[in-house]
Amino acid sequence: MKKLFLASFILFAFSSIATAQQLKSPQGEFEMNFSLTSDGTPTYSLKYKNKEVVKTSKLGLELKNDKKSLLNDFTIVDSKTATFDETWKPVWGEVAQIRNHYNELAVTLNQKGTDRKIVIRFRLFDDGLGFRYEFPSQKNLVYFVIKEERTQFAMAGNHTAHWISGDYDTQEYDYTTSKLSEIRNLSSKARSENASQEGFSDTGVQTSLMMKSNDGIYINLHEAALINYSCMNLNLDDKKMIFESHLTPDAKGDKGYIQAPSTSPWRTVIVSDDAREILDSKMTLNLNDPCKIEDTSWIKPVKYVGVWWEMITNKSTWSYTNDFPAIQLGITDYSKAKPNGTHGANTAHVKEYIDFASKHGFDGVLVEGWNQGWEDWFGHAKDYVFDFVTPYPDFDVKDLHEYAKSKGVKMIMHHETSGSTRNYERHLDKAFKFMNDNGYEAVKTGYVGPILPVGEHHYSQSIINHYQYVIEKAVDYKIMVNAHEAVRPTGICRTYPNMIGNEAARGTEFQAFGGSKPNHVTILPFTRLIGGPMDYTPGIFEMNIQKFSPTNTSKVNSTLANQLALYVTMYSPLQMAADLIENYNQFPDAFQFIKDVAVDWSESKYLEAEPGDYITVARKAKGTNNWFIGNVNGETPRTSNITLNFLEKGKKYTATIYADAKDAHYKTNPQAYTIRKITVTSKTKLSQLSASGGGYAISIVENK
Ligand code: NOJ
Ligand code: CA
């Protein structure tokens, strides 16, 4: 599918001894200036519509055990510009075609005294800047260890930021919205508990970071193509308002083992004065390599249900028995264990989910807690936790395979690694073969708890390599991967579209662990989703969890209409209907939207957007003339005004509008919704009130 049907690449090469270079974006709104300071330190700056976005900022890397770092004493020995323009078709996506259009500047630098060369490559798009370090093959720079990357992003003011605290292990935090100058004082409050976490600074934040300047410029900092390198956090010098890269260390405290020739990931700055354009940006995908999978016919978007929310909410358990204080796989004898009576993944119950999926047209059923080991699954630096092939006595793999097949439903495998990456790698071939043999085409992986080997972090280089290894190994077995607790994505799904999902942020599960902020879902598309889709697991209809799980007093901070909208606003080719069957059966009319909504799109139109406040998006279902609209709203009730001018002129459509009732509120009245049907055309204007923590969802079907 990596079809290139319009590509041009023009190269202008010239040798230069100048110390400054300028690059403009194709439409000319961006200007990037590269220069060397008097001591030979590389710097860059970025302007958008003549306004400073990144002030003069230093570039370079501090090395360990080397006589000299790659920070200064450089001269420019070569400089090449080029322009590139292609349009490519993603296997799945928000749109059917993506234009990749940029102007490029590649500066080759030579270091005086060491005679070592690095290339800094800049790509300037109409939506922002990407740049990376390249380490060409050479005699004087072969193996080296990074002590710290010293890439700066000097901000032009005390912007408002939507941030989560810097961390080596988790992104599962609520966002804090504050001025940059307030981060330091808010940082400890911003860190809620997680099974695995390690911060590094009071002014450390994670990417993708979304900011807004006082004069209305939206700035997003992130990275693209994080391969064989450690994940970048940012550390803020809050006197000067300069962010500097802070890489995740390994168990020894080192930040990267590099062998030339190689490259760093791209550092990205997406910019616009219109928030909708940030959501529309395809720069992160464009900075990744084209698809490396020859035959992609087995990669398909998936809508699924599962035996999951009941364990997350404590209604049932992953574990099978309460008999054992600890488990040793292969030694512990489950055949003699007394079932605890709360085990969710039993054959009969899974069949109810298969029936439900089949009846309502879902593609798949996820089952967690099917395999031995859950009685004792994380903590204790336990290496051998699961073998990924041995089911509990009450989970009949063969029977369920046959049953699901007869109902036209695919089973989705679950591999919780509990952070034990080596154990997972040891079992991977067998586990994927087991999936092939039993009809599983997709796997949800998980990395809860501290990473093993001991001392490594979720975002260290070697663990980044582990996630990548799993994705590439899965290609051999034609398996789609949805990784939880792995590093946040950086557009790698362009190259490996079998990576159909990722968590790497605070997902719906936290609504059962005390709740998330009601405006969380108005921020995620500006932050976490910049790198790729999220398995957010929306569709919760019962907000009062205690109604079905007496010990859990957590409330879902969202209205029911907001939950429907998430299928459109949180773009993903993998969408779960996460609630219990019994809760969907109570609201069949609202459930109809989840049944109808598409998971693959040919067009997407961002109609309204302000991070932290609201997002409204319309998407056209691939291969049809039907559209779906989603609006999510933050704390403050708001009237959304949209025009349906994207509909085909002259045609009539039936719109079904699922909206908050007048008295809906995420806290006090979350299940109050209305459904109405109207005829619409491309001239229709809609005005719709969204409640606090609310929203609306619309399906628009062409009248035949
Ligand atoms: C955390 C994941 O995010 C969640 O979806 C999963 O159910 C648990 N880990 C158990 O693996
Ligand atoms: Ca998680």
Side-chain angles (χ1 to χ4, degrees):
M1 261 298 185
K2 47 176 181 181
K3 202 165 147 198
L4 233 68
F5 53 90
L6 184 86
S8 62
F9 191 69
I10 306 164
L11 200 81
F12 309 97
F14 55 91
S15 283
S16 166
I17 46 157
T19 56
Q21 306 285 337
Q22 191 181 80
L23 186 64
K24 293 234 182 199
S25 57
Q27 281 175 31
E29 284 179 338
F30 286 91
E31 183 186 309
M32 195 284 301
N33 283 287
F34 174 83
S35 63
L36 289 177
T37 61
S38 54
D39 74 345
T41 302
T43 69
Y44 76 105
S45 63
L46 182 68
K47 277 189 190 164
Y48 168 70
K49 295 188 179 170
N50 280 324
K51 284 187 183 157
E52 241 177 354
V53 174
V54 181
K55 301 202 301 183
T56 301
S57 297
K58 291 181 184 171
L59 297 165
L61 296 122
E62 192 179 339
L63 306 190
K64 192 185 164 189
N65 302 334
D66 264 78
K67 302 175 279 309
K68 200 174 174 116
S69 286
L70 295 168
L71 291 168
N72 54 13
D73 280 340
F74 286 110
T75 54
I76 300 178
V77 290
D78 189 31
S79 166
K80 285 189 176 64
T81 58
T83 184
F84 187 76
D85 194 358
E86 69 165 1
T87 301
W88 57 280
K89 283 185 174 179
V91 175
W92 41 258
E94 291 184 87
V95 291
Q97 294 182 15
I98 294 174
R99 186 170 181 197
N100 182 11
H101 189 198
Y102 58 81
N103 290 334
E104 181 176 279
L105 169 70
V107 192
T108 304
L109 302 172
N110 190 54
Q111 194 174 42
K112 279 182 261 170
T114 66
D115 196 21
R116 295 182 299 190
K117 283 189 181 55
I118 62 168
V119 176
I120 306 179
R121 189 176 301 274
F122 297 91
R123 288 187 179 164
L124 201 47
F125 300 77
D126 288 319
D127 44 355
L129 172 70
F131 61 90
R132 71 177 181 191
Y133 302 97
E134 297 181 355
F135 312 107
S137 179
Q138 59 196 287
K139 218 170 68 235
N140 294 341
L141 187 68
V142 186
Y143 290 102
F144 59 97
V145 180
I146 298 175
K147 191 164 174 203
E148 189 58 275
E149 182 182 316
R150 300 271 176 219
T151 301
Q152 293 186 339
F153 304 86
M155 296 294 100
N158 187 12
H159 304 327
T160 298
H162 304 276
W163 55 274
I164 53 174
S165 193
D167 205 291
Y168 299 153
D169 286 290
T170 187
Q171 295 233 325
E172 294 180 351
Y173 294 122
D174 255 323
Y175 285 89
T176 300
T177 299
S178 79
K179 291 283 180 193
L180 295 178
S181 58
E182 295 165 333
I183 292 176
R184 182 184 296 278
N185 286 338
L186 292 168
S187 91
S188 59
K189 213 175 129 208
R191 300 180 64 78
S192 50
E193 258 191 44
N194 195 278
S196 175
Q197 60 192 143
E198 188 166 332
F200 57 88
S201 154
D202 282 350
T203 56
V205 294
Q206 300 194 50
T207 75
S208 145
L209 175 69
M210 190 64 227
M211 289 173 280
K212 186 182 182 182
S213 71
N214 285 338
D215 53 354
I217 309 284
Y218 298 86
I219 305 162
N220 185 287
L221 303 181
H222 193 36
E223 64 180 311
L226 170 59
I227 304 254
N228 193 14
Y229 203 87
S230 110
C231 166
M232 179 180 73
N233 278 267
L234 297 172
N235 202 16
L236 178 69
D237 174 340
D238 53 359
K239 290 207 176 66
K240 298 184 184 146
M241 297 304 159
I242 298 177
F243 284 107
E244 193 170 280
S245 50
H246 179 101
L247 300 181
T248 305
D250 65 14
K252 281 171 66 187
D254 295 332
K255 300 204 162 187
Y257 285 79
I258 309 293
Q259 180 189 345
S262 68
T263 65
S264 76
W266 296 92
R267 278 58 186 102
T268 61
V269 191
I270 303 172
V271 185
S272 179
D273 51 11
D274 182 338
R276 297 174 303 174
E277 290 184 357
I278 303 286
L279 299 175
D280 221 10
S281 171
K282 303 291 178 289
M283 207 179 95
T284 314
L285 286 175
N286 279 331
L287 286 166
N288 277 270
D289 284 344
C291 182
K292 287 194 174 154
I293 305 173
E294 276 297 313
D295 167 23
T296 56
S297 59
W298 50 277
I299 301 171
K300 295 190 182 80
V302 178
K303 213 194 294 184
Y304 72 105
V305 291
V307 180
W308 176 74
W309 187 236
E310 57 192 81
M311 284 90 87
I312 289 289
T313 54
N314 289 340
K315 180 179 187 283
S316 67
T317 58
W318 284 275
S319 62
Y320 167 78
T321 177
N322 300 333
D323 274 4
F324 306 125
I327 302 294
Q328 281 185 290
L329 280 198
I331 297 172
T332 305
D333 184 1
Y334 277 98
S335 69
K336 297 199 178 72
K338 186 164 146 268
N340 57 17
T342 56
H343 181 222
N346 63 80
T347 304
H349 188 46
V350 173
K351 282 186 178 172
E352 287 169 14
Y353 269 86
I354 294 173
D355 290 343
F356 184 78
S358 170
K359 179 170 169 200
H360 295 292
F362 287 86
D363 308 297
V365 174
L366 165 77
V367 184
E368 297 198 3
W370 66 277
N371 56 329
Q372 296 185 7
W374 284 91
E375 289 74 13
D376 170 26
W377 69 283
F378 80 92
H380 320 295
K382 189 174 170 178
D383 189 274
Y384 184 26
V385 187
F386 296 109
D387 68 6
F388 313 99
V389 293
T390 311
Y392 279 129
D394 61 348
F395 184 87
D396 190 331
V397 177
K398 298 279 175 240
D399 183 22
L400 286 168
H401 179 198
E402 289 309 316
Y403 192 76
K405 209 161 124 189
S406 75
K407 297 274 178 169
V409 172
K410 294 274 191 264
M411 298 293 289
I412 301 175
M413 178 53 79
H414 184 228
H415 290 166
E416 174 56 62
T417 70
S418 58
S420 187
T421 55
R422 264 194 333 206
N423 181 53
Y424 192 36
E425 286 181 20
R426 280 183 211 125
H427 290 87
L428 206 49
D429 275 293
K430 256 195 185 161
F432 283 169
K433 168 102 182 20
F434 181 81
M435 285 179 63
N436 283 171
D437 291 346
N438 293 292
Y440 290 79
E441 294 175 0
V443 64
K444 170 180 172 179
T445 61
Y447 297 87
V448 171
I451 287 287
L452 286 170
V454 170
E456 293 292 333
H457 294 288
H458 283 75
Y459 308 152
S460 312
Q461 182 188 17
S462 67
I463 308 304
I464 303 298
N465 292 348
H466 165 83
Y467 308 132
Q468 190 62 30
Y469 175 74
V470 174
I471 293 162
E472 292 183 28
K473 175 66 79 179
V475 174
D476 298 343
Y477 291 86
K478 294 196 165 58
I479 286 171
M480 298 181 276
V481 180
N482 163 27
H484 278 225
E485 294 90 31
V487 71
R488 76 284 187 279
T490 54
I492 292 170
C493 59
R494 178 183 179 188
T495 316
Y496 294 99
N498 65 318
M499 189 179 175
I500 49 163
N502 263 114
E503 185 193 42
R506 192 178 174 93
T508 298
E509 61 183 353
F510 279 84
Q511 298 280 24
F513 307 158
S516 295
K517 290 182 181 172
N519 74 344
H520 188 53
V521 293
T522 69
I523 298 174
L524 283 172
F526 285 98
T527 52
R528 163 63 185 76
L529 269 64
I530 293 292
M534 175 170 179
D535 183 32
Y536 184 71
T537 67
I540 305 301
F541 281 11
E542 182 50 74
M543 313 303 164
N544 183 356
I545 294 170
Q546 207 163 22
K547 275 197 181 164
F548 58 85
S549 179
T551 58
N552 190 333
T553 56
S554 194
K555 296 266 169 25
V556 177
N557 293 326
S558 159
T559 69
L560 194 149
N562 174 287
Q563 289 291 313
L564 296 181
L566 294 172
Y567 290 90
V568 191
T569 59
M570 297 280 286
Y571 165 67
S572 176
L574 179 77
Q575 289 284 17
M576 184 178 202
D579 211 338
L580 312 180
I581 293 175
E582 67 215 58
N583 293 336
Y584 287 134
N585 285 342
Q586 275 192 54
F587 303 96
D589 55 352
F591 186 55
Q592 188 62 42
F593 181 82
I594 302 181
K595 288 168 65 170
D596 292 342
V597 71
V599 278
D600 201 15
W601 312 98
S602 54
E603 287 178 57
S604 289
K605 309 270 178 207
Y606 286 94
L607 305 175
E608 301 176 304
E610 183 62 30
D613 293 335
Y614 54 86
I615 292 172
T616 315
V617 59
R619 304 192 197 271
K620 189 179 186 188
K622 212 179 239 177
T624 76
N625 211 13
N626 302 336
W627 288 76
F628 293 83
I629 300 177
N631 161 277
V632 285
N633 191 44
E635 283 270 4
T636 315
R638 172 179 176 270
T639 302
S640 159
N641 289 302
I642 59 171
T643 307
L644 307 185
N645 54 11
F646 43 84
L647 297 179
E648 211 176 307
K649 285 187 183 49
K651 291 229 157 113
K652 284 193 173 156
Y653 300 76
T654 299
T656 310
I657 305 174
Y658 305 76
D660 291 323
K662 279 204 180 66
D663 56 350
H665 189 289
Y666 77 90
K667 236 188 223 156
T668 52
N669 200 12
Q671 290 172 316
Y673 63 89
T674 63
I675 300 177
R676 64 184 209 276
K677 274 191 199 303
I678 55 169
T679 300
V680 296
T681 68
S682 62
K683 293 194 177 125
T684 303
K685 289 186 188 332
L686 283 178
S687 188
Q688 193 64 53
L689 181 75
S690 291
S692 181
Y696 61 84
I698 310 178
S699 73
I700 302 178
V701 178
E702 191 191 332
N703 292 349
K704 295 270 170 158

